[in-house]
Coordinates of all heavy atoms in Angstrom, one line a residue:
W1 N 12.3 15.9 2.9 CA 11.8 15.9 4.2 C 11.3 14.5 4.6 O 10.6 13.8 3.8 CB 10.6 16.8 4.3 CG 10.9 18.3 4.3 CD1 10.9 19.1 3.2 CD2 11.3 19.1 5.4 NE1 11.3 20.4 3.5 CE2 11.6 20.4 4.9 CE3 11.5 18.8 6.7 CZ2 12.0 21.4 5.7 CZ3 12.0 19.8 7.5 CH2 12.2 21.1 7.0
Y2 N 11.7 14.0 5.8 CA 11.2 12.8 6.3 C 10.5 13.1 7.6 O 10.6 14.2 8.2 CB 12.4 11.9 6.7 CG 13.1 11.2 5.5 CD1 13.9 11.9 4.6 CD2 12.9 9.8 5.3 CE1 14.5 11.2 3.5 CE2 13.5 9.2 4.2 CZ 14.3 9.9 3.3 OH 14.9 9.2 2.2
R3 N 9.8 12.1 8.1 CA 9.1 12.3 9.4 C 9.1 11.0 10.1 O 9.2 9.9 9.5 CB 7.7 12.8 9.3 CG 6.7 11.8 8.6 CD 5.4 12.5 8.4 NE 4.4 11.6 7.8 CZ 3.2 12.0 7.4 NH1 2.8 13.3 7.5 NH2 2.3 11.1 6.8
Q4 N 9.1 11.1 11.5 CA 9.1 9.9 12.3 C 8.1 10.1 13.5 O 8.3 11.1 14.3 CB 10.4 9.6 12.9 CG 10.5 8.2 13.6 CD 11.9 7.8 13.8 OE1 12.9 8.5 13.8 NE2 12.1 6.5 14.1
A5 N 7.0 9.3 13.5 CA 6.0 9.4 14.5 C 6.5 8.4 15.6 O 7.2 7.5 15.4 CB 4.7 9.0 14.0
P6 N 6.0 8.6 16.9 CA 6.4 7.7 18.0 C 6.0 6.3 17.6 O 4.9 6.0 17.2 CB 5.5 8.3 19.1 CG 5.3 9.7 18.8 CD 5.2 9.7 17.3
G7 N 7.0 5.4 17.8 CA 6.8 4.0 17.6 C 6.8 3.6 16.2 O 6.5 2.4 15.9
K8 N 7.1 4.5 15.3 CA 7.1 4.2 13.8 C 8.4 4.4 13.2 O 9.2 5.2 13.7 CB 6.0 5.0 13.1 CG 4.6 4.6 13.6 CD 3.5 5.3 12.7 CE 2.1 4.9 13.1 NZ 1.1 5.5 12.2
Q9 N 8.6 3.8 12.0 CA 9.9 4.1 11.3 C 9.8 5.4 10.6 O 8.8 6.0 10.3 CB 10.1 3.0 10.2 CG 10.4 1.6 10.8 CD 10.8 0.6 9.7 OE1 10.4 0.8 8.6 NE2 11.6 -0.4 10.1
R10 N 11.0 6.0 10.4 CA 11.1 7.2 9.7 C 10.7 7.0 8.2 O 11.1 6.0 7.6 CB 12.6 7.7 9.7 CG 12.7 9.2 9.3 CD 14.1 9.7 9.6 NE 14.4 9.7 11.0 CZ 15.5 10.3 11.6 NH1 16.4 10.8 10.8 NH2 15.7 10.3 12.8
E11 N 9.9 7.9 7.7 CA 9.4 7.7 6.3 C 9.6 9.0 5.5 O 9.6 10.1 6.0 CB 7.9 7.4 6.4 CG 7.0 8.5 6.9 CD 5.6 8.2 6.9 OE1 5.2 7.1 6.3 OE2 4.8 9.0 7.3
L12 N 9.8 8.8 4.2 CA 10.0 9.9 3.3 C 8.6 10.6 3.1 O 7.6 10.0 2.9 CB 10.4 9.4 1.9 CG 10.6 10.5 0.8 CD1 11.6 11.5 1.2 CD2 10.8 9.8 -0.5
V13 N 8.6 11.9 3.2 CA 7.4 12.7 3.0 C 7.5 13.3 1.6 O 6.5 13.2 0.9 CB 7.4 13.9 4.1 CG1 6.2 14.8 3.8 CG2 7.3 13.3 5.5
A14 N 8.6 14.0 1.3 CA 8.7 14.6 0.0 C 10.1 14.9 -0.3 O 10.9 15.0 0.6 CB 7.9 16.0 -0.1
A15 N 10.4 15.0 -1.6 CA 11.8 15.3 -2.1 C 11.7 16.2 -3.3 O 10.7 16.2 -4.1 CB 12.5 14.0 -2.4
V16 N 12.8 17.0 -3.5 CA 12.9 17.9 -4.6 C 14.3 18.0 -5.1 O 15.3 18.0 -4.3 CB 12.4 19.3 -4.2 CG1 13.2 19.9 -3.1 CG2 12.3 20.3 -5.4
T17 N 14.5 17.9 -6.4 CA 15.8 18.0 -7.0 C 16.2 19.5 -7.2 O 15.3 20.4 -7.1 CB 15.8 17.3 -8.4 OG1 15.0 18.0 -9.3 CG2 15.3 15.9 -8.3
R18 N 17.4 19.7 -7.5 CA 17.9 21.1 -7.8 C 17.1 21.7 -8.9 O 16.9 22.9 -8.9 CB 19.4 21.1 -8.1 CG 20.0 22.4 -8.4 CD 21.5 22.4 -8.5 NE 22.1 22.2 -7.2 CZ 22.4 23.3 -6.4 NH1 22.1 24.5 -6.8 NH2 23.0 23.0 -5.3
S19 N 16.7 20.9 -9.9 CA 16.0 21.5 -11.0 C 14.5 21.6 -10.8 O 13.7 22.2 -11.6 CB 16.1 20.6 -12.3 OG 15.6 19.3 -12.0
G20 N 14.0 21.1 -9.6 CA 12.6 21.4 -9.2 C 11.7 20.2 -9.4 O 10.5 20.3 -9.1
S21 N 12.2 19.0 -9.8 CA 11.4 17.8 -9.8 C 11.0 17.4 -8.4 O 11.9 17.4 -7.5 CB 12.1 16.7 -10.6 OG 12.3 17.1 -11.9
T22 N 9.8 17.0 -8.2 CA 9.3 16.7 -6.9 C 8.7 15.2 -6.8 O 8.3 14.7 -7.8 CB 8.2 17.6 -6.4 OG1 7.1 17.6 -7.3 CG2 8.8 19.0 -6.3
N23 N 8.7 14.7 -5.6 CA 8.2 13.4 -5.3 C 7.5 13.5 -3.9 O 8.1 14.1 -3.0 CB 9.3 12.4 -5.3 CG 8.8 11.0 -5.1 OD1 7.8 10.6 -5.7 ND2 9.4 10.2 -4.3
Y24 N 6.3 12.8 -3.8 CA 5.6 12.9 -2.5 C 5.1 11.5 -2.1 O 4.8 10.6 -2.9 CB 4.3 13.8 -2.7 CG 4.6 15.2 -3.0 CD1 4.7 15.7 -4.3 CD2 4.8 16.1 -1.9 CE1 4.9 17.0 -4.5 CE2 5.0 17.5 -2.2 CZ 5.1 17.9 -3.5 OH 5.4 19.2 -3.7
A25 N 5.1 11.3 -0.8 CA 4.4 10.1 -0.3 C 2.9 10.2 -0.6 O 2.3 11.3 -0.6 CB 4.6 10.1 1.2
D26 N 2.3 9.1 -0.8 CA 0.9 9.1 -1.2 C 0.0 9.8 -0.1 O -1.0 10.4 -0.4 CB 0.4 7.7 -1.4 CG 0.9 7.1 -2.7 OD1 1.3 7.8 -3.6 OD2 0.9 5.8 -2.8
S27 N 0.4 9.6 1.2 CA -0.4 10.1 2.3 C -0.4 11.6 2.3 O -1.3 12.2 3.0 CB 0.2 9.6 3.6 OG 1.6 10.0 3.8
V28 N 0.5 12.3 1.6 CA 0.5 13.8 1.7 C 0.2 14.5 0.4 O 0.2 15.7 0.3 CB 1.9 14.3 2.3 CG1 2.2 13.7 3.6 CG2 3.0 14.1 1.3
K29 N 0.1 13.7 -0.7 CA -0.2 14.3 -2.0 C -1.4 15.1 -2.0 O -2.5 14.7 -1.4 CB -0.3 13.2 -3.1 CG 1.0 12.6 -3.5 CD 0.8 11.5 -4.5 CE 2.1 10.9 -5.0 NZ 1.9 9.7 -5.9
G30 N -1.3 16.3 -2.5 CA -2.5 17.2 -2.6 C -2.6 18.1 -1.3 O -3.4 19.0 -1.3
R31 N -1.8 17.8 -0.3 CA -1.9 18.6 0.9 C -0.6 19.3 1.2 O -0.6 20.4 1.8 CB -2.2 17.7 2.1 CG -3.6 17.0 2.0 CD -4.0 16.2 3.3 NE -3.0 15.2 3.7 CZ -2.4 15.2 4.8 NH1 -2.5 16.2 5.7 NH2 -1.5 14.2 5.1
F32 N 0.6 18.6 0.9 CA 1.9 19.2 1.2 C 2.5 19.6 -0.1 O 2.3 19.0 -1.2 CB 2.8 18.2 1.8 CG 2.4 17.8 3.2 CD1 1.2 18.2 3.8 CD2 3.3 17.0 4.0 CE1 0.8 17.8 5.1 CE2 2.9 16.7 5.3 CZ 1.7 17.1 5.9
T33 N 3.3 20.7 -0.1 CA 4.1 21.1 -1.2 C 5.5 21.4 -0.8 O 5.8 22.1 0.1 CB 3.5 22.4 -1.8 OG1 2.1 22.2 -2.2 CG2 4.3 22.9 -3.0
I34 N 6.5 20.7 -1.5 CA 7.9 21.0 -1.2 C 8.4 21.9 -2.3 O 8.0 21.8 -3.5 CB 8.7 19.6 -1.2 CG1 10.1 19.9 -0.7 CG2 8.7 19.0 -2.6 CD1 10.9 18.6 -0.5
S35 N 9.3 22.8 -1.9 CA 9.9 23.7 -2.8 C 11.3 24.1 -2.3 O 11.6 23.8 -1.1 CB 9.1 25.0 -2.9 OG 8.9 25.7 -1.7
R36 N 12.1 24.7 -3.1 CA 13.4 25.1 -2.7 C 13.9 26.4 -3.3 O 13.4 26.7 -4.4 CB 14.5 24.0 -2.9 CG 14.7 23.7 -4.4 CD 15.5 22.4 -4.5 NE 16.9 22.6 -4.2 CZ 17.8 21.6 -4.2 NH1 17.4 20.3 -4.4 NH2 19.1 21.8 -3.9
D37 N 14.7 27.1 -2.6 CA 15.3 28.3 -3.1 C 16.8 28.0 -3.2 O 17.5 28.0 -2.2 CB 15.0 29.5 -2.2 CG 15.6 30.8 -2.7 OD1 16.6 30.8 -3.5 OD2 15.0 31.8 -2.3
N38 N 17.3 27.7 -4.4 CA 18.7 27.4 -4.6 C 19.7 28.5 -4.2 O 20.8 28.3 -3.7 CB 19.0 26.9 -6.0 CG 18.3 25.6 -6.3 OD1 18.1 24.7 -5.5 ND2 17.8 25.4 -7.6
A39 N 19.2 29.7 -4.4 CA 20.1 30.9 -4.0 C 20.3 31.0 -2.5 O 21.3 31.4 -2.1 CB 19.5 32.1 -4.6
K40 N 19.3 30.5 -1.8 CA 19.4 30.5 -0.3 C 19.7 29.2 0.3 O 19.8 29.0 1.5 CB 18.1 31.0 0.3 CG 17.7 32.5 -0.1 CD 16.4 32.9 0.6 CE 16.0 34.3 0.2 NZ 14.8 34.7 0.8
N41 N 19.9 28.2 -0.6 CA 20.2 26.8 -0.1 C 19.2 26.4 0.9 O 19.5 25.8 2.0 CB 21.6 26.7 0.4 CG 22.6 27.0 -0.6 OD1 22.6 26.5 -1.7 ND2 23.5 28.0 -0.3
T42 N 17.9 26.6 0.6 CA 16.8 26.4 1.6 C 15.7 25.6 0.9 O 15.4 25.9 -0.2 CB 16.3 27.7 2.2 OG1 17.3 28.4 2.8 CG2 15.2 27.4 3.1

């Protein structure tokens, strides 16, 4: 997931691998959670 606010560059928010490893922007750590359902490709 990326986000872009008005007048700002697009920035990475969070990422998740197929195996479930995650990475977060410092600004959202502890507040946002990324997850995926591989069976639903979602």
Side-chain angles (χ1 to χ4, degrees):
W1 288 97
Y2 284 73
R3 68 185 181 187
Q4 188 166 19
K8 295 188 176 181
Q9 289 188 335
R10 193 170 296 188
E11 63 176 358
L12 176 67
V13 176
V16 60
T17 67
R18 177 172 286 276
S19 62
S21 296
T22 57
N23 183 44
Y24 295 92
D26 288 342
S27 59
V28 306
K29 282 180 181 176
R31 300 189 299 120
F32 291 10
T33 302
I34 190 169
S35 61
R36 66 191 283 175
D37 184 333
N38 291 327
K40 295 181 179 180
N41 299 310
T42 300

